Amino acid sequence: MSTTSPQSTPRINVTQVGDALLGRWKAERLESRALASDPRLHTIPGQPMAEHRERALSQLGILVENGAIQRAFPSDLGGADNHGGNIAAFQELVLADPSMQIKGGVQWGLFGAAILHLGTRAHHEAWLPDVISLKLPGAFAMTEIGHGSDVASIGTTATYDEATEEFEIHTPFAGAWKEFLGNAALHGQAAVVFAQLITKGVNHGVHAFFVPIRTPAGDMLPGIGSEDDGVKGGLNGIDNGRLHFTHVRIPRTNLLNRYGDVAADGSYSSSIDSPGRRFFTMIGTLVQGRVSLDGSAVRAMQAALTIAITYGSQRRQFPGASGRETVLLDYGQHQRRLIPRLAQSYAMAFADEKLLTVFDEVFSGARDTAENREDLETLAAAFKPLSTWAALDTLQETREACGGAGFIAKNRFTSLRADLDIYVTFEGDNNVLLQLVGKRLLKDYAAQFAGGDKAALAKAAATQLGDKVSRFGLRQMGQSIADLGQVSRSVESVRAPEAQRALLADRVETMVAEVALALREAGKGIPREQKQARAIAQEAAFNAQQHKLIAAARAHAELLQWEAFTEALEGITDADSKRVLTWLRDLFGLGLIEEHAAWYLIAGRMSAHRAEAVTAYIDRLIGRLRDQSLDLVAAFGLTPELLRAEIATGIEAERQAEAQAYVEGERAAGRWPIHEKELRSKAKAARKAETAVG
Amino acid sequence: MSTTSPQSTPRINVTQVGDALLGRWKAERLESRALASDPRLHTIPGQPMAEHRERALSQLGILVENGAIQRAFPSDLGGADNHGGNIAAFQELVLADPSMQIKGGVQWGLFGAAILHLGTRAHHEAWLPDVISLKLPGAFAMTEIGHGSDVASIGTTATYDEATEEFEIHTPFAGAWKEFLGNAALHGQAAVVFAQLITKGVNHGVHAFFVPIRTPAGDMLPGIGSEDDGVKGGLNGIDNGRLHFTHVRIPRTNLLNRYGDVAADGSYSSSIDSPGRRFFTMIGTLVQGRVSLDGSAVRAMQAALTIAITYGSQRRQFPGASGRETVLLDYGQHQRRLIPRLAQSYAMAFADEKLLTVFDEVFSGARDTAENREDLETLAAAFKPLSTWAALDTLQETREACGGAGFIAKNRFTSLRADLDIYVTFEGDNNVLLQLVGKRLLKDYAAQFAGGDKAALAKAAATQLGDKVSRFGLRQMGQSIADLGQVSRSVESVRAPEAQRALLADRVETMVAEVALALREAGKGIPREQKQARAIAQEAAFNAQQHKLIAAARAHAELLQWEAFTEALEGITDADSKRVLTWLRDLFGLGLIEEHAAWYLIAGRMSAHRAEAVTAYIDRLIGRLRDQSLDLVAAFGLTPELLRAEIATGIEAERQAEAQAYVEGERAAGRWPIHEKELRSKAKAARKAETAVG
């Protein structure tokens, strides 16, 4: 309950805030939302797997008919060369049916995109029109049972035979079976298969090959085996399965040869000399999957919050002192559960918009530099883990906040959660991605010291950690003494955006410096010649720091999200909207500081007094934002057709009105029974009065 | 990887630790596990709802045939008066199929138990034999759409009609529809209906009534309506639905009259004067649902940890410095994800055994006092939330730790998680239960001050908080200075069990005192006469403290779990087992202290130095326990028939052996291609040598 008077309470401009959330690809998003409102594209809860799979396939046909999926492809092949708009539109489909969305992602975002980005013009002309039209459904055969995160170590081979000018695709052992592939169990007629390219007795590393696997009638081609992964935790509209290859021959020209080629005589060539860099360049073209999931996760969060906050502001439980039952959203605990997650969803929405912008700049060619590609990869690897985890967390908390009603499939939470579960480990396992970010942070940190001057690094790290080392010294004491003054001064010192930024950034920098310093010590005592012993020691040292490095990567991602939110505030011109969104940004920033308070306290970055002030101010912000929360979810712009949750339709308020009218009617008619409790207290009062009189 | 030499590494006695986990009702547990191994009782992933519902019903028949469910009923009616053993056996069924388990829980633990505990001898004789034999499937009609947690406010009425000596059961508005009831949509032929008992114009509060609802052929009886809740997030083998009643008449004697009765002339009588206490006594007899869920959640955690730790100790990913790929469980992050959760599962298993013991003491009559009943309720309200949340958390983390394989239904995580989701909000919403615990803590705290002496309370609270207030004073400085000495001394000071206990207990006591103090201040300035204004102020004050009170309740539950673990250590005679389990207990205790480090730092209970020592020691414990983890999950005693997860069968190790044999064979035969990377470094080395020679 807000404590300010109604007059002084700002109200956001829902349209302006909504536009800020829709961002640069507003038109594509709205077009896609309109399509996602079509009942033919909606999940049917409990639909058996076989039917759901057929339905998802037919839904892809509807997407094609509606021109919903071709934006990213070349204009002259039926596309629009619109990379950012393509992903933006794709993200919106999650609210129709995630199975349809991800099956579409397999077809156009993985299978089609691999042909586009790893193939060359002849491949585009030969296959893309049929890929776009869905005449040629395909699978993306990268992951194997034995190797998921470590793609470089896959076992499938593509051995060149000069005699026939063919590649032989082969699965040498069960661990090399391609696994978890959408479209592999039933619908795929071809696959982009990743395999170790071997020619003239040399393995040139992982390359992608176009391999037909099934006839249009659905029969497997010779040498190709398929097994069905069966029922999954979600996304059961997708026919995931395994593929294996027994000496399957394909023409030499089926190698997707943008980054590496084999001539008729078997000689290998590549525009990228280093096999390592070549591999990462090829893999890097597939970053769009991560970008897509990031925004999809945000959309699912927004839907969950809209449903739960709508219901929470209608649902009443337990009699209140005011005489009516208390609205759930007026409970302190309920606010603590929902409102910080609302703030987080805003931060992540603005962060996704930023990620998508960088993605578009790189893929449109507008700013396609090696540096931007690397930044894009790091950004995607930072945001996708946090948003997909946050989506699961938010879907669960909102489902619980709606009690039993939250568990009924028609209220959406559980099926979205089941489907989005896999988002946290596919397209890059979240922990592996954060480790990637962590390694990039370490690299950037070390790069400050030209020529790999490790002594300078150590010195800088020591300086970085200086404040921490002196935490029992004067600096800490000074802050403690200052903090003994007014609480408001303590709050002021963390409320300012510069202060929030400094605290968030400091944590990232200090943690990275600490890890760098610890790694530097590793293997120090072991002579240079003992390479393996040194490597083992370094591996052990890294392993001991892994947990901290991943925490640092997460802190980095949080800082970037906070910055994206702060940047977005600049674009808000409406004063009230700006004020409310600033509260929301502060709640997000201070929430992170509260979450990591132990770190700030241990590192001597914050006094106990200040940490308490942060919590007190968070409580105040939550109280203020409680009354804003309906507007803030309204700005998501999710229509009833997208939400499709019975409890978000107002049905709960209607039921309460009916119940209240009934009770009032009975009372008025003198039919409402007196409660025994009331009778007893009346009797007690009467006895008292009697005694007093007697 | 353990750093100690193999000789010095203790190994637990799996049988002894296993027996400690099985506890007092080992025989019943093993009997139930044998039954749960029967394939006829197993979940079929993806089975369509309608078929799953019929299967679950037929599975209940198998339970009856095998004498699996009657233990709690009176001996002379076919039971065994074995309350603890009944729940213990019930808990084990979760690994067969949670739908079957919970449908059984509805039939015998709710419907049957309500007749047993709220009814009297005539009711037992009339209905229990048919309830036990499943001839009479029934629903437990307590929750309504409009009132879930607040049962006292339900809208269904049972109005006595002296003329016909009948009660008229009636649903006055849609909000009073009974909702989410298992057996209501299809199979229930009767229901125990909770309704406001009205006689002679007085509402005597909520009572339970036996109401026939369907013919054995499945037709609804006159005046009774049923609607199907349809697909849910899990437990789809249960036919949850709604029931509503339109002036349905039942005989007077269908009132389950143990705690309140209506004579033929309509006069009401009860052995419990206070309507409030009467209500809570009736509700209190149904505590067994919470006890059941607590242990079921633990069993699901154990299964998830067994599967993930087995897989994690076989699965390899990314080449390691040793020359082979690294085993997942050797990664620092992987250990941090799984091993603390293993420690937690042990604490919760021992805590559940304690809860079950108290339950048995009360329900067997051995120690059935009002105080024990209250303790039992508080204990159940404390443990059930933590274990059911921990089960969801563990199922999710383990599923992620197994990557894509974790998402395939045949590996168990996802379907168990979907089914257990509702455990956190049914049989008492977890947050509401923790608030109950918090209120009990406040009551006990206030009870220390005889005669409600609030001034004494305030003074005591101030003393309690004294250490905190003086956190910038000498005490803190002293600790800080002491901590500047050896890290080992800091560790020692928290490693001792007394230190762990003191820290955990101090946090509970201090938080409760803080809340009590804050509540005391509420409404102070408002005159006593202004009752509503004071009530509103007090409600607002409570609301502001709600989040903290729930946190205090959770801290209390954690302390009790820690104590249960510590107590269980006393029963372990094998020295190695004791040593390893002590590490595990320490990991659990210090893990809680690390999790709440910010609180300890802010409250001046721990210096920054000591907090760092806690984390460092946790890292050491995890390193030691990594090599113990397979034995520790073996002690759970979960057979392949109970686990039924492909990835826990050793299939991954077999695949790796096959792959390795293949590579070695190819190498031996000289067919293994050289990698371009190797070729390049050889060429580089050759060029170098040439230059040197030249």
Side-chain angles (χ1 to χ4, degrees), chain A residues 440-456:
Chain A
R440 169 78 191 272
L441 292 172
L442 282 176
K443 199 184 93 181
D444 287 359
Y445 185 78
Q448 296 172 41
F449 311 98
D453 182 347
K454 290 207 171 178

Side-chain angles (χ1 to χ4, degrees), chain A residues 147 321 325 330 539 543 676, chain B residues 147 204 321 325 330 539 543:
Chain A
H147 290 95
E325 292 176 299
D330 283 338
E539 185 178 272
N543 214 17
E676 186 189 328
Chain B
H147 290 95
H204 292 278
E325 292 175 299
D330 283 337
E539 184 177 273
N543 215 16

Side-chain angles (χ1 to χ4, degrees), chain A residues 1 45-46 48 144-150 153 172-175 180 196 198 201-205 229 231-235 242 268 273 275-276 278 315-323 325-326 330-334 336-337 389 392 396 399-400 403-405 407-410 414 417-419 421-422 424-425 429 431-432 468 471-472 477 480 484 532 535-536 539 543 546-547 550 597-598 601-602 608-609 611-612 646 652 655 658-659 662-663 673-677 679-680, chain B residues 1 45-46 48 144-150 153 172-175 180 196 198 201-205 229 231-235 242 268 273 275-276 278 315-323 325-326 330-334 336-337 389 392 396 399-400 403-405 407-410 414 417-419 421-422 424-425 429 431-432 468 471-472 477 480 484 532 535-536 539 543 546-547 550 597-598 601-602 608-609 611-612 646 652 655 658-659 662-663 673-677 679-680:
Chain A
M1 284 164 284
E144 296 177 355
I145 296 178
H147 290 95
S149 293
D150 181 14
S153 299
F173 41 77
F180 309 135
Q196 307 285 351
I198 299 161
V202 177
N203 179 351
H204 292 277
D229 283 333
V231 180
K232 304 183 297 293
L235 295 186
R242 299 171 170 179
Y268 180 84
D273 260 5
R278 191 190 308 143
R315 174 78 170 175
R316 292 168 182 272
Q317 202 75 178
F318 290 107
S322 69
E325 292 176 299
T326 306
D330 283 338
Y331 285 108
Q333 179 75 349
H334 214 77
R336 264 269 176 186
R337 294 168 77 182
W389 272 327
L392 295 191
Q396 183 64 24
R399 117 79 191 121
E400 292 181 29
F407 192 60
I408 303 296
K410 69 179 166 203
T414 55
R417 199 209 166 282
D419 287 336
D421 182 0
I422 193 65
V424 303
T425 52
D429 174 89
N431 277 293
V432 175
K468 190 176 171 191
R471 65 171 169 256
F472 303 110
M477 288 305 294
S480 297
L484 288 173
Q532 200 189 19
I536 288 174
E539 185 178 272
N543 214 17
Q546 190 185 29
H547 182 64
I550 287 175
L601 289 157
I602 291 173
H609 201 68
E612 283 189 307
E646 190 182 85
E652 177 64 22
R655 278 194 294 251
E658 187 209 350
Y662 170 83
V663 172
I674 187 168
H675 199 284
E676 186 189 328
K677 274 186 190 173
L679 208 61
R680 282 178 183 271
Chain B
M1 285 162 283
E144 296 178 353
I145 297 179
H147 290 95
S149 293
D150 182 13
S153 299
F173 41 78
F180 309 135
Q196 307 284 352
I198 299 161
V202 178
N203 179 352
H204 292 278
D229 283 332
V231 181
K232 304 183 297 292
L235 294 185
R242 299 172 171 180
Y268 179 82
D273 261 7
R278 190 190 308 143
R315 175 79 172 176
R316 292 167 182 273
Q317 203 74 181
F318 290 107
S322 70
E325 292 175 299
T326 306
D330 283 337
Y331 285 109
Q333 179 75 350
H334 214 76
R336 263 271 176 186
R337 295 167 78 182
W389 272 328
L392 296 190
Q396 183 64 23
R399 118 77 194 122
E400 292 181 28
F407 192 60
I408 303 297
K410 69 178 165 202
T414 54
R417 200 210 165 281
D419 287 336
D421 181 1
I422 193 66
V424 303
T425 53
D429 174 271
N431 278 292
V432 175
K468 190 176 172 191
R471 66 169 169 258
F472 302 112
M477 288 304 293
S480 300
L484 287 174
Q532 199 189 21
I536 288 174
E539 184 177 273
N543 215 16
Q546 189 186 31
H547 182 64
I550 288 174
L601 288 157
I602 292 173
H609 202 68
E612 282 190 309
E646 191 182 86
E652 177 64 20
R655 279 194 294 251
E658 187 208 348
Y662 171 83
V663 172
I674 189 168
H675 199 285
E676 185 189 330
K677 274 186 190 174
L679 208 62
R680 283 180 183 270

Side-chain angles (χ1 to χ4, degrees), chain A residues 8 63 134 432 448 687:
Chain A
S8 75
L63 294 183
L134 199 62
V432 175
Q448 296 172 41
R687 275 198 306 275

Side-chain angles (χ1 to χ4, degrees), chain B residues 10 47 69 104 173 193 203 239 255 262 333 337 488 529 557 574 608 636 647 666 686 694:
Chain B
Q47 185 173 40
I69 53 81
F173 41 78
V193 177
N203 179 352
D239 55 324
L255 165 63
V262 171
Q333 179 75 350
R337 295 167 78 182
S488 61
E529 309 80 62
D574 175 66
F636 294 152
I647 52 170
E666 291 292 294

Side-chain angles (χ1 to χ4, degrees), chain B residues 178-338:
Chain B
K178 296 294 177 183
E179 173 63 307
F180 309 135
L181 321 176
N183 279 341
L186 289 177
H187 301 138
Q189 292 174 25
V192 168
V193 177
F194 288 78
Q196 307 284 352
L197 188 162
I198 299 161
T199 179
K200 294 182 178 292
V202 178
N203 179 352
H204 292 278
V206 174
H207 288 65
F209 301 83
F210 182 93
V211 185
I213 60 170
R214 266 192 192 88
T215 67
D219 300 315
M220 298 311 294
L221 294 174
I224 295 168
S226 161
E227 305 189 18
D228 198 319
D229 283 332
V231 181
K232 304 183 297 292
L235 294 185
N236 278 305
I238 308 177
D239 55 324
N240 291 84
R242 299 172 171 180
L243 288 179
H244 43 89
F245 306 88
T246 308
H247 305 294
V248 172
R249 289 189 161 249
I250 54 169
R252 177 181 66 92
T253 50
N254 279 21
L255 165 63
L256 299 176
N257 62 346
R258 178 165 168 198
Y259 296 106
D261 203 1
V262 171
D265 70 354
S267 57
Y268 179 82
S269 63
S270 169
S271 57
I272 306 174
D273 261 7
S274 152
R277 206 157 57 78
R278 190 190 308 143
F279 170 73
F280 286 110
T281 302
M282 288 198 241
I283 299 293
T285 61
L286 304 165
V287 70
Q288 70 181 65
R290 291 169 193 170
V291 182
S292 306
L293 298 185
D294 183 57
S296 304
V298 172
R299 199 66 67 250
M301 265 181 252
Q302 291 176 338
L305 288 162
T306 306
I307 298 166
I309 287 175
T310 303
Y311 183 69
S313 54
Q314 294 177 6
R315 175 79 172 176
R316 292 167 182 273
Q317 203 74 181
F318 290 107
S322 70
R324 282 197 74 181
E325 292 175 299
T326 306
V327 172
L328 292 194
L329 208 53
D330 283 337
Y331 285 109
Q333 179 75 350
H334 214 76
Q335 293 171 8
R336 263 271 176 186
R337 295 167 78 182
L338 297 182

